[in-house]
């Protein structure tokens, strides 16, 4: 074992300690309570539903809210909104023995035939947010983990749930709907959905070798006349779809657990071996 390897190992151990300490501080939860499968979300209502329906407590730290269901081997974590927060949560969770993660988020549908309440399964994200540049150069595509998304579509097919598959545009500009140049770019690049986290999460997951996918709920149709999300329409979406979206996420994690027990291809996780592989790369 050479001197260079020892230095890298010492740095890794320090990074792991800081990451675990930060996750405990931000979530208010001991890292030991996190389950092998993590649902990531932007919505405290999702965490509250999960906790109430499983009769487990909501735990709140300085930034995140979490709840854990050991019987299902699933945790849910609200990391708030935006690509910097998405990068942070992946960087922290990468140091836990998590087998896979799934974003339960919302998106704007960019096709006229889409319907609010349908699901969107992103296979890739346009890197319009900038944060993913910290992980890889611009020529590296932002792809969701194939196996995770395959399990997502399997569950949706089995439950006869309407969904669309395509590319999402991830942006840091939340109030973009009245920016005509931005709207023209969307039409030129032809994504089917828009949101604020996927490209970052996919790049962070790829960098850390953390299998990560997404199941998005179409919450608005911002390119349509009168299709921009309002306070009233947002409240209706939460009231109507929160339970179903969360339960779909749990179903996907159960199915993913079965797939991993059968040694399905497309997943690579480990602790020491994972970091040694990174060093050798």
């Amino acid at each position: 074992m050479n001197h260079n390897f020892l230095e890298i190992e010492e740095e890794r151990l320090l990074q792991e300690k800081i990451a675990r300490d930060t996750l405990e501080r931000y979530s208010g939860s001991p890292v030991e309570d996190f389950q092998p499968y993590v649902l990531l979300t932007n919505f405290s209502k999702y965490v509250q539903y999960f906790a109430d329906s499983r009769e487990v407590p909501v735990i709140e730290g300085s930034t995140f809210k979490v709840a854990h269901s050991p019987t299902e081997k699933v945790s849910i974590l609200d990391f708030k909104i935006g690509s910097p927060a998405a990068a942070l949560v992946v960087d922290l969770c990468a140091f836990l023995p998590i087998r896979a993660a799934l974003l339960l988020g919302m998106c704007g549908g960019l096709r006229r035939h889409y319907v609010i309440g349908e699901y969107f399964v992103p296979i890739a994200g346009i890197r319009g947010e900038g944060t993913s540049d910290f992980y890889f150069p611009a020529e590296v595509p932002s792809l969701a983990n194939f196996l995770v998304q395959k399990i997502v579509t399997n569950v949706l097919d089995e439950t006869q749930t309407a969904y669309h598959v395509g590319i999402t545009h991830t942006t840091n500009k939340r109030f973009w709907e009245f920016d005509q140049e931005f709207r023209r770019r969307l039409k030129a690049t032809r994504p089917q959905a828009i949101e604020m986290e996927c490209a970052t999460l996919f790049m962070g997951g790829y960098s850390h070798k953390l299998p990560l996918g997404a199941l998005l709920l179409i919450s608005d149709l911002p390119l349509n006349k009168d299709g921009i999300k309002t306070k009233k329409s947002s409240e209706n979406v939460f009231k109507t779809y929160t339970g179903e979206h969360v339960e779909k996420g749990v179903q996907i994690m159960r199915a993913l657990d079965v797939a991993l027990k059968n040694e399905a291809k497309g997943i690579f996780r480990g602790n020491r071996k994972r970091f040694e592989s990174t060093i050798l790369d």
Side-chain angles (χ1 to χ4, degrees), residues 35-100:
Q35 299 302 302
Y37 300 95
V38 176
L39 297 172
L40 301 173
T41 185
N42 313 121
F43 313 117
S44 60
K45 293 179 186 293
Y46 278 31
V47 177
Q48 193 65 56
Y49 169 85
F50 182 91
D52 291 345
S53 58
R54 274 107 183 128
E55 297 183 341
V56 297
V58 172
I59 305 163
E60 185 171 2
S62 62
T63 306
F64 304 147
K65 287 185 178 181
V66 299
H68 309 292
S69 176
T71 58
E72 296 170 302
K73 299 192 287 188
V74 175
S75 294
I76 187 169
L77 185 153
D78 167 25
F79 65 92
K80 306 308 176 189
I81 190 171
S83 60
L88 173 62
V89 77
V90 175
D91 290 345
L92 299 182
C93 288
F95 290 92
L96 299 181
I98 294 171
R99 303 194 74 188

Side-chain angles (χ1 to χ4, degrees), residues 158-173:
E158 290 166 3
T159 55
Q160 298 183 332
T161 303
Y163 68 95
H164 306 276
V165 176
I167 297 172
T168 183
H169 181 109
T170 303
T171 181
N172 262 345
K173 185 174 176 58

Side-chain angles (χ1 to χ4, degrees), residues 94-107:
F95 290 92
L96 299 181
I98 294 171
R99 303 194 74 188
L102 180 75
L103 172 67
L104 299 180
M106 294 186 188
C107 66

Side-chain angles (χ1 to χ4, degrees), residues 241-252:
Y241 301 108
T242 292
E244 177 188 301
H245 198 182
V246 173
E247 295 300 340
K248 283 285 191 298
V250 174
Q251 282 182 271
I252 290 163

Side-chain angles (χ1 to χ4, degrees), residues 123-172:
I123 56 174
I126 293 175
R127 296 168 59 184
E129 26 60 272
T131 311
S132 58
D133 294 345
F134 287 96
Y135 295 110
F136 289 101
E139 63 266 27
V140 180
S142 177
L143 303 177
N145 181 271
F146 173 78
L147 178 61
V148 176
Q149 298 306 75
K150 182 175 184 293
I151 297 299
V152 169
T153 56
N154 286 351
V155 168
L156 295 177
D157 287 335
E158 290 166 3
T159 55
Q160 298 183 332
T161 303
Y163 68 95
H164 306 276
V165 176
I167 297 172
T168 183
H169 181 109
T170 303
T171 181
N172 262 345

Side-chain angles (χ1 to χ4, degrees), residues 182-218:
F182 187 87
R183 290 168 67 98
R184 282 191 288 271
R185 286 175 56 207
L186 287 180
K187 291 180 180 180
T189 54
R190 296 197 293 179
Q192 289 87 11
I194 184 167
E195 41 65 53
M196 301 184 70
E197 293 87 21
C198 281
T200 311
L201 290 171
F202 298 162
M203 285 281 88
Y206 186 50
S207 176
H208 289 295
K209 299 182 180 178
L210 170 62
L212 200 156
L215 174 62
L216 306 179
L217 180 74
I218 298 174

